[in-house]
Amino acid sequence: MDGEDYLVTRETTTDIKPKKKTFQENQTLLSEMIRQVPGVLFQFYSRADGERGLRYVNERSESIIGVKANPDGFFERFSELVVPEHRQAFLESIDKAVRDVSEWHYEGLLRKPTGERVWFSAHSIPTIRETEIVFNGIFQDITQRKQDEETHRRLEAQLSSSLEIAHLGHWEYDVKRDLFTFNAPFYKIFKTTAGQVGGYTMSSAEYARRFVHPEDMEMVGEEVRKGIETTDRHFHRRLDHRILYADGSIGHITVHYFVVKDDQGKTVKIYGVNQDITYRKRKEEASRKEKEKYKAILQTAANGFWLTNLDGKLLEINDAYCRMSGYSRNELLMMQIPQLEGHLGPDEVAAKIELVLRQGYDRFETRHRHKRGHLYDVEVSVQHLAIEDGRLVIFLRNIDQMKKAEKEKRQLQAQLMHAQKMESVGRLAGGVAHDFNNMLSVILGYGELALELSDPSQMHAALREIIKAAKRSADITQQLLAFARKQPIAPKVIDLNGIVTGLLKMIQRLIGEDIHLTWRREKNLCPIKMDPSQIDQILVNLCVNARDAIQGVGNITIETSRVLVEKDATREHLDIRPGEFVLLTVSDDGEGMNKDTLQNVFEPFYTTKGEGKGTGLGLSMVYGIVKQNGGFIDVDSAPNTGSTFSIYFPVYKTAEESILSEKGAGRSIPRGRETILLVEDEPVILKMAQEMLESLGYDVISADTPQQAIDLASQYQDRIHLLLSDMVMPEMDGRALERRLRSIRPDVKHLFMSGYAAEYGARHGVLEESVNFIQKPFSRHTLSVKIRDVLDELL
């Protein structure tokens, strides 16, 4: 029996070759199966003495994880391949499985020797033996699964983002459980979150209470019942209804929903998608209102309006055309366009429509027949609306009315041209007066210096006459500046009686000898605060208008008084307020005004005078001056009874200022020893002013440009007390120079010189109280007083 396999016992001898063959076949099969396993099979042991190691690793280890199938050192090499951020967790999971003798499962990331990064999973089940714990398990490459999971996660995120971007909310209704389930974007539609409403699920009653508008609950409930009771397996519906936002406001959504049925055809679930259409609904509502607005505008328009089709059928007509034609709306809607044309037949109308279709637009004149039979001229504007099924929009204007409007337009244009001419004359007058003021400043300055420096002789009388003539000329320039509205407007506390008295001679010359001027004044009149030159403008305009209203001989009366306006009187006039006022009244016995004229008397460019005899700006300027000073004006007039203008000026309560008296009037010429920085770009005025200041005892630093003044101020060692500067100069104006100078000389005071208001940049034409100003031309006496007032005032 050599070379053959037998099992020998005491009783028998058994041939074991068949069993051995079967065993070998099984071993081969097992090896083949192990080789085909898509993973690394291993056996890991851990003994009580702390020894650990691998007894077995199959051949696929090298192809899967890059480590050869050799148990020796396999565990250490594998551990080193696990990426550092996962390595500690990997080792701790093994320790825990050994310590707890529990099933081991771990997923992590490793880097193969080739550099490739793969995800792996390790799973094993422990077996306890006498002295050790054995873990039989498998390492698998799960990279593809991880990638699939990531792809799935990304797709889910993209879907969620798409729903969110599209403002779509998804919900599911479980009919049996009466339970709604929502996705996160669903809550954004309602401007809330799942946390704020208690989660992602709620009953149908809770859903309706939280999200459905109360007035739409019945409709929504009926739609849900239809979905539950339907026998249609492909049931799909769309529903629009109102919703309640979390803040209590109302919105609108569109819901698309469908049903899922079981094998018995019973509805088990309803799925839906919500889209917020509030913005669209609001746009539609706004569009509807806009259409209604335009329709209302067209209905109330002064010109006629038609909407027609291309066959000439009238589809829409406004009230203006009904009035223009004499027909009612229903009568017109029964007509065709040719029936309304006075001289165009059907062929001509068709040709006009064809022309409009080619050009898109046309304008022409035609004649329409009134219901009473007469013809009237009409200007027609036609627009083709291709997007409105080829309809025509037509506007119609009665040319008879247009001719009247054209005439009024020509009149307005003539008034405008006249006003522009007067403005040009005003600018010319202002410019001339400004330059003349500069020369008068030189004449007055040197005249006074010559008068003081020369010995008493016959020359004194001549010099006084020169000075007197120069002052009269200065008064004339002030009138020119007033006409040009470029005189400085500086409110002062004034005595109205004194101002009016001083103007009486000038007013008498303006109105002529045929008109008797009466002046009545109340004594001890309260003071008012305003620019005296504005009183001049008010009286001149009112008296000239009164003169023009008188035919031949007549009377004009100027009166002043103090009045108390009670609260009851303000009910009839909304622009009147109660209080104490000084009343200035100008009345005449001229032709008076009718109601229409009274309603428009203060309107700019409104005048009842003939063409070329008035601009219509005088009374509007009076009105503006009165309102600017906090007063109000009233007019009483009727045809053939004359007119009375009553102007109410507020009483000035705190009359601490002097009343229309120049500071220093009657005083001797004050002098000084301070240092003055004089800046003037006109050489003759600079020289004259320097000599005038030096004759008054002042030290003078003169400069003909602002930059030269700044340089001199920087170099000067002693104190500079005052800056006396012209307002408008090259490089910078006086205000800018003063600001620059204060940065290096904080304690310097200022006094500005100017010829008219435009030069000193006054806000609304009124001087700021902080601005010290002297108007050209000025006398030596006036300059001396003004300088001392500025230098001596407390900071």
Side-chain angles (χ1 to χ4, degrees), residues 426-436 481 484 486 756:
R427 285 197 297 269
L428 177 62
V432 171
H434 171 254
D435 293 338
F436 195 32
L481 289 172
K486 291 182 177 180
Y756 56 91

Side-chain angles (χ1 to χ4, degrees), residues 82-277:
V82 177
V83 296
E85 57 267 29
H86 289 194
R87 191 173 299 150
Q88 184 64 30
F90 170 71
L91 296 174
E92 288 177 356
S93 69
I94 295 175
D95 292 341
K96 185 177 186 303
V98 171
R99 184 174 61 253
D100 298 341
V101 192
S102 61
E103 184 177 351
W104 179 46
H105 182 76
Y106 181 79
E107 291 185 0
L109 185 65
L110 60 80
R111 184 188 299 272
K112 296 170 67 172
T114 61
E116 180 185 0
R117 292 167 68 92
V118 296
W119 281 92
F120 72 92
S121 70
H123 184 263
S124 68
I125 299 174
T127 301
I128 302 176
R129 295 181 179 175
E130 293 181 359
T131 60
E132 62 182 14
I133 303 172
V134 177
F135 288 86
N136 294 308
I138 183 172
F139 287 108
Q140 288 182 292
D141 184 346
I142 60 170
T143 303
Q144 185 60 46
R145 192 195 81 193
K146 284 289 187 178
Q147 291 174 348
D148 292 343
E149 289 176 354
E150 176 62 22
T151 301
H152 181 68
R153 185 198 62 75
R154 189 165 56 250
L155 289 174
E156 282 189 339
Q158 290 174 351
L159 177 60
S160 178
S161 297
S162 298
L163 290 173
E164 189 169 350
I165 292 172
H167 301 288
L168 298 176
H170 177 264
W171 54 266
E172 172 188 322
Y173 177 56
D174 188 318
V175 177
K176 184 176 181 180
R177 297 165 61 197
D178 185 29
L179 193 67
F180 275 92
T181 304
F182 315 102
N183 69 345
F186 174 88
Y187 290 101
K188 288 191 176 182
I189 292 178
F190 296 89
K191 301 179 181 178
T192 184
T193 64
Q196 291 174 330
V197 297
Y200 287 93
T201 60
M202 61 180 66
S203 67
S204 59
E206 180 69 8
Y207 169 79
R209 184 182 70 81
R210 285 188 177 276
F211 301 126
V212 181
H213 191 280
E215 296 178 7
D216 291 350
M217 282 187 183
E218 184 177 351
M219 176 186 66
V220 173
E222 179 63 26
E223 287 295 326
V224 173
R225 283 192 292 274
K226 288 180 181 178
I228 295 173
E229 297 171 1
T230 184
T231 59
D232 182 5
R233 288 184 174 273
H234 303 288
F235 180 86
H236 171 263
R237 295 290 290 271
R238 169 184 166 173
L239 172 66
D240 292 356
H241 69 85
R242 289 169 292 176
I243 60 174
L244 296 175
Y245 290 126
D247 60 6
S249 59
I250 298 173
H252 297 264
I253 61 170
T254 289
V255 183
H256 291 273
Y257 67 99
F258 58 93
V259 301
V260 176
K261 293 182 174 293
D262 58 16
D263 294 338
Q264 288 74 40
K266 188 175 181 180
T267 300
V268 292
K269 286 188 179 181
I270 301 176
Y271 291 95
V273 175
N274 293 0
Q275 183 176 20
D276 191 337
I277 60 170

Side-chain angles (χ1 to χ4, degrees), residues 109 123-124 144 150 166 219 230 243 308 311 330 332 365 396 401 425 428 462 466 514 516 531 573 609 651 714 717 793:
L109 185 65
H123 184 263
S124 68
Q144 185 60 46
E150 176 62 22
M219 176 186 66
T230 184
I243 60 174
T308 77
D311 296 328
N330 290 334
L332 290 168
E365 293 183 7
L396 309 102
Q401 298 175 353
V425 173
L428 177 62
I466 291 173
D514 292 339
H516 179 68
D531 193 313
H573 302 279
K609 299 175 183 178
V651 169
S714 301
Q717 298 298 317
E793 70 179 354

Side-chain angles (χ1 to χ4, degrees), residues 6 53 61 173 213 232 237 240 293 312 332 560 627 723 751 761:
Y6 293 91
S61 65
Y173 177 56
H213 191 280
D232 182 5
R237 295 290 290 271
D240 292 356
K293 181 181 75 172
L332 290 168
T560 59
K627 298 297 289 184
L723 167 67
L751 176 59

